[in-house]
């Protein structure tokens, strides 16, 4: 193990850069479409969760509770293998996108639901008193206000989804984690554990850290603005 | 004059709470109706039934000849009614101008230019033209309420409902809002329904005053009748307490 961080092992990683880049490409591809799917599901099921129709609320609860209380690996395997063995294989990356999208969508829908419910009742009533339809009311009045509040928790879910692309390994994916693993365990490429995993981690960090930072900065700004509004309101009242 | 708003045998329950008990009311075109009464008497719920913010448990609401139901209520509201709330309920994420132009553009098919012209016109009416580009949270309560009135006017609906428009304001700014409402009351063709505790306002502008208590209409009549010789001892007692 003397050569854990040796120049030789770094050069081995460098030599395999094409493979790592391909893995990164697959990870990004899965993440981007997974996020889009999660956002759509989150919005749709989040709206259901705030509905006053009992049936829609029930659908929201079943989805959220079922997905949040079973392992994502199980969901991924189910979607991939169950479909593959019934002759409807959709491929590894589409399976990953679907599973991760559905999984994160459950968390996203809770984020949307909580965000919408935090908007004062008067806003809904004002919209209704002007005669906006439900969708117009949501689109013009409620969701723009909701987005501001839910951006931080939403970005956290995006970061989680990006990291969870590593689950693709279980269905033989060629995402960044899987590529790294097969590189360090490969017959010809074996070893170079240190550099390979450090590189892999660094790439994830470079993608996820700015997102997390964005979320926390935004949250801080919102809190400051809120404090400022309360202050001016207090000053006015005084 | 045709009937603009007609409530027939309206009942409203919130769970076990029976808040409206067989309320019947008629408002003709251009009429200024003021609803008074102690808190919890069902005044607000009555106006909120008029635009279906509360769906009556039973009874019918007829607006300008059309019976409202859950399906057509948004359209009828859009065409016939605006509302001014106790808590203003301006859209905080939009400038004052956008607050005023949103519904005319999205619901009443006005172009941006038409909607903005309308908005500036009504901003002049409420005396706040210079606040067009400000966000509502930066305004005082009285200013926000005047903007809310302008927003209601921008939809140019024949009916405007006011649900305790001055109750959340500090005493100094109440008058600026009342002044705007009094000016509005001179408009012959606007039908106004106002829930308020401002007796001076009621006396000055109302064509008809309704007194509610415990979910029922106890007495209705002209302001002269009401403030000089009310029939019900309960109304006498209430007015005695509120007007000193």
């Amino acid at each position: 193990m003397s050569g854990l961080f040796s120049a030789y092992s770094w050069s081995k990683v460098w030599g395999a850069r094409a493979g790592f880049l391909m893995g990164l490409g697959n990870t990004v591809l899965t993440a981007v479409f997974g996020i889009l799917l999660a956002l759509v599901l989150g919005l749709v099921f989040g709206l259901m969760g705030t509905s006053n129709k009992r049936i829609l609320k029930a659908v929201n609860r079943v989805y959220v509770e079922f997905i949040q209380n079973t392992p994502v690996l199980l969901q991924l395997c189910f979607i991939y293998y169950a479909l593959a063995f019934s002759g409807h294989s959709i491929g590894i990356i589409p399976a990953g996108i679907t599973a991760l999208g559905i999984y994160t969508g459950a968390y996203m829908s809770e984020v949307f639901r909580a965000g919408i419910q935090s908007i004062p009742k008067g806003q809904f009533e004002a919209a209704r008193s002007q005669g906006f339809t439900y969708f117009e009311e949501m689109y013009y009045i409620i969701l723009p206000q909701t987005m501001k509040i839910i951006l931080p928790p939403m970005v956290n879910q995006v970061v989680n989804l990006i990291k969870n692309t590593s689950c693709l390994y279980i269905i033989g994916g060629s995402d960044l984690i899987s590529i790294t693993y097969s590189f360090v365990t490969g017959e010809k490429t074996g070893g170079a554990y240190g550099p390979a995993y450090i590189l892999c981690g660094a790439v994830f960090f470079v993608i996820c850290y700015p997102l997390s930072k964005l979320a926390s900065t935004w949250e801080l700004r919102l809190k400051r603005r809120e404090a400022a509004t309360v202050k001016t309101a207090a000053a006015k009242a005084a | 004059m045709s009937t603009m708003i007609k409530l027939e045998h309206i009942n409203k329950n919130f769970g076990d709470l029976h808040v409206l008990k067989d309320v019947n009311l008629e408002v003709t075109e251009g009429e200024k109706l003021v609803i008074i009464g102690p808190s919890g008497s069902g005044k607000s719920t009555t106006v909120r039934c008029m635009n279906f913010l509360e769906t009556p448990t039973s009874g019918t609401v007829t607006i300008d000849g059309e019976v409202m139901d859950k399906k057509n209520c948004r359209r009828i509201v859009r065409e016939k009614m605006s509302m001014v709330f106790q808590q203003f309920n301006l859209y905080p994420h939009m400038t004052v101008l956008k607050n005023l132009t949103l519904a005319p553009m999205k619901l009443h098919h006005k172009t941006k230019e038409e909607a903005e012209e309308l908005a500036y016109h009504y901003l002049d009416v409420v005396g706040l033209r210079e606040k067009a580009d400000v966000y509502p949270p930066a305004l005082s309560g009285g200013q926000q309420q005047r903007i809310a009135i302008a927003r209601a006017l921008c939809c140019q609906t024949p009916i405007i409902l006011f649900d305790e428009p001055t109750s959340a304001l500090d005493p100094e700014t109440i008058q600026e809002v009342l002044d705007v409402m009094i000016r509005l009351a001179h408009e012959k063709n606007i039908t106004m329904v106002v829930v308020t505790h401002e007796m001076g306002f009621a006396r000055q502008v109302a064509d008809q005053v309704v007194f509610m208590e415990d979910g029922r209409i106890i007495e209705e009549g002209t302001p002269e009748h009401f403030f000089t010789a009310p029939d019900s001892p309960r109304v006498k007692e209430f007015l005695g307490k509120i007007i000193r």
Side-chain angles (χ1 to χ4, degrees):
Chain A
M1 295 303 269
S2 61
L4 188 57
F5 292 110
S6 67
Y8 171 67
S9 48
W10 280 107
S11 72
K12 250 165 92 177
V13 171
W14 177 247
R17 64 189 178 277
F20 281 98
L21 277 176
M22 185 201 72
L24 175 63
N26 285 334
T27 288
V28 169
L29 181 74
T30 312
V32 167
F33 285 98
I35 288 161
L36 288 178
L37 179 61
L39 284 175
V40 171
L41 291 175
L43 177 62
V44 170
F45 282 92
L47 286 173
M48 283 188 189
T50 60
S51 163
N52 46 20
K53 296 207 171 61
R54 231 177 262 167
I55 174 81
L56 294 181
K57 250 187 196 157
V59 171
N60 160 283
R61 282 338 291 168
V62 169
Y63 168 62
V64 171
E65 296 300 346
F66 187 76
I67 296 296
Q68 286 193 352
N69 294 298
T70 49
V72 62
L73 274 182
L74 173 110
Q75 295 159 20
L76 183 61
C77 290
F78 179 80
I79 284 176
Y80 183 68
Y81 291 114
L83 284 177
F85 284 110
S86 59
H88 304 285
S89 178
I90 55 171
I92 291 170
I93 289 185
I97 291 170
T98 311
L100 291 175
I102 290 174
Y103 176 74
T104 312
Y107 288 88
M108 218 55 116
S109 101
E110 287 294 85
V111 169
F112 271 102
R113 184 178 64 79
I116 292 169
Q117 283 172 345
S118 75
I119 303 298
K121 220 175 122 222
Q123 292 294 310
F124 295 84
E125 292 187 345
R128 279 170 61 196
S129 80
Q130 291 197 297
F132 283 104
T133 64
Y134 174 76
F135 288 106
E136 291 168 333
E137 165 187 323
M138 285 297 157
Y139 183 78
Y140 294 118
I141 293 142
I142 304 303
L143 288 176
Q145 297 184 58
T146 308
M147 291 310 286
K148 265 189 220 161
I149 307 169
I150 66 173
L151 196 75
M154 212 159 105
V155 173
N156 288 339
Q157 291 306 326
V158 166
V159 169
N160 279 340
L161 187 144
I162 294 172
K163 291 188 293 181
N164 282 340
T165 55
S166 51
C167 294
L168 284 187
Y169 172 72
I170 202 96
I171 55 169
S174 45
D175 61 293
L176 187 55
I177 286 276
S178 308
I179 292 283
T180 308
Y181 183 76
S182 48
F183 170 81
V184 297
T185 54
E187 231 174 275
K188 286 189 203 133
T189 55
Y193 293 98
Y197 279 125
I198 284 175
L199 176 74
C200 179
V203 170
F204 271 105
F205 185 80
V206 164
I207 297 172
C208 294
Y209 180 71
L211 286 172
S212 305
K213 199 71 200 157
L214 176 88
S216 51
T217 316
W218 180 265
E219 200 168 1
L220 207 68
R221 248 182 62 189
L222 275 187
K223 275 194 188 134
R224 284 216 190 103
R225 201 183 301 162
E226 214 168 86
T229 333
V230 171
K231 230 190 239 166
T232 47
K236 254 179 229 146
Chain B
M1 281 288 178
S2 59
T3 302
M4 272 319 250
I5 306 171
K6 194 170 186 181
L7 303 184
E8 289 168 289
H9 307 295
I10 298 291
N11 282 279
K12 177 68 186 175
N13 292 60
F14 291 117
D16 292 335
L17 217 59
H18 196 178
V19 285
L20 291 184
K21 298 162 185 161
D22 194 40
V23 170
N24 294 279
L25 198 59
E26 227 180 290
V27 191
T28 56
E29 193 181 346
E31 188 179 322
K32 319 297 179 230
L33 171 75
V34 172
I35 305 177
I36 61 175
S39 30
S41 60
K43 311 180 295 286
S44 284
T45 310
T46 303
V47 281
R48 288 162 62 86
C49 279
M50 291 176 181
N51 65 356
F52 263 47
L53 279 187
E54 305 294 353
T55 317
T57 310
S58 67
T60 54
V61 180
T62 312
I63 303 294
D64 201 10
E66 236 181 316
V67 176
M68 279 225 272
D69 57 44
K70 273 190 168 172
K71 285 214 174 82
N72 66 15
C73 68
R74 294 221 187 195
R75 176 183 57 78
I76 292 178
V77 164
R78 186 164 68 228
E79 291 169 357
K80 309 287 183 195
M81 284 179 281
S82 302
M83 191 174 213
V84 175
F85 297 87
Q86 184 176 354
Q87 298 294 341
F88 333 127
N89 296 346
L90 293 172
Y91 306 132
H93 61 300
M94 298 176 185
T95 62
V96 163
L97 189 64
K98 285 245 23 212
N99 264 279
L100 268 53
T101 55
L102 183 71
M105 282 169 64
K106 304 301 176 196
L107 300 177
H108 302 283
H109 311 295
K110 297 261 194 294
T111 64
K112 193 165 181 259
E113 291 71 34
E114 289 168 338
E116 287 186 355
E117 200 186 316
L118 211 60
Y120 279 111
H121 170 72
Y122 288 116
L123 280 176
D124 282 337
V125 169
V126 301
L128 288 171
R129 173 179 271 262
E130 75 281 3
K131 300 293 185 193
D133 298 319
V134 172
Y135 285 86
L139 298 171
S140 73
Q143 289 171 333
Q144 288 195 52
Q145 196 59 301
R146 283 150 69 196
I147 298 294
I149 294 172
R151 178 173 72 176
L153 289 168
C154 277
C155 290
Q156 300 187 300
T157 52
I159 303 168
I160 304 183
L161 309 174
F162 294 83
D163 185 7
E164 301 204 27
T166 57
S167 299
L169 300 174
D170 52 287
E172 278 177 62
T173 54
I174 289 178
Q175 200 52 47
E176 68 184 58
V177 172
L178 287 180
D179 286 341
V180 169
M181 290 174 62
I182 290 166
R183 225 174 309 143
L184 215 59
H186 294 308
E187 300 275 336
K188 287 279 168 289
N189 48 6
I190 299 182
T191 306
M192 285 168 70
V193 179
V194 186
V195 172
T196 187
H197 293 292
E198 295 295 326
M199 295 304 137
F201 173 82
R203 197 174 240 177
Q204 196 176 342
V205 309
D207 297 312
Q208 192 187 178
V209 180
V210 162
F211 181 89
M212 288 189 76
E213 179 164 59
D214 193 26
R216 283 177 228 277
I217 293 179
I218 305 272
E219 188 160 346
E220 49 186 309
T222 62
E224 295 80 50
H225 161 80
F226 229 90
F227 292 105
T228 51
D231 301 329
S232 145
R234 178 64 187 106
V235 177
K236 269 184 209 151
E237 185 199 338
F238 179 79
L239 291 176
K241 270 185 199 154
I242 207 162
I243 306 171
R244 279 165 236 257

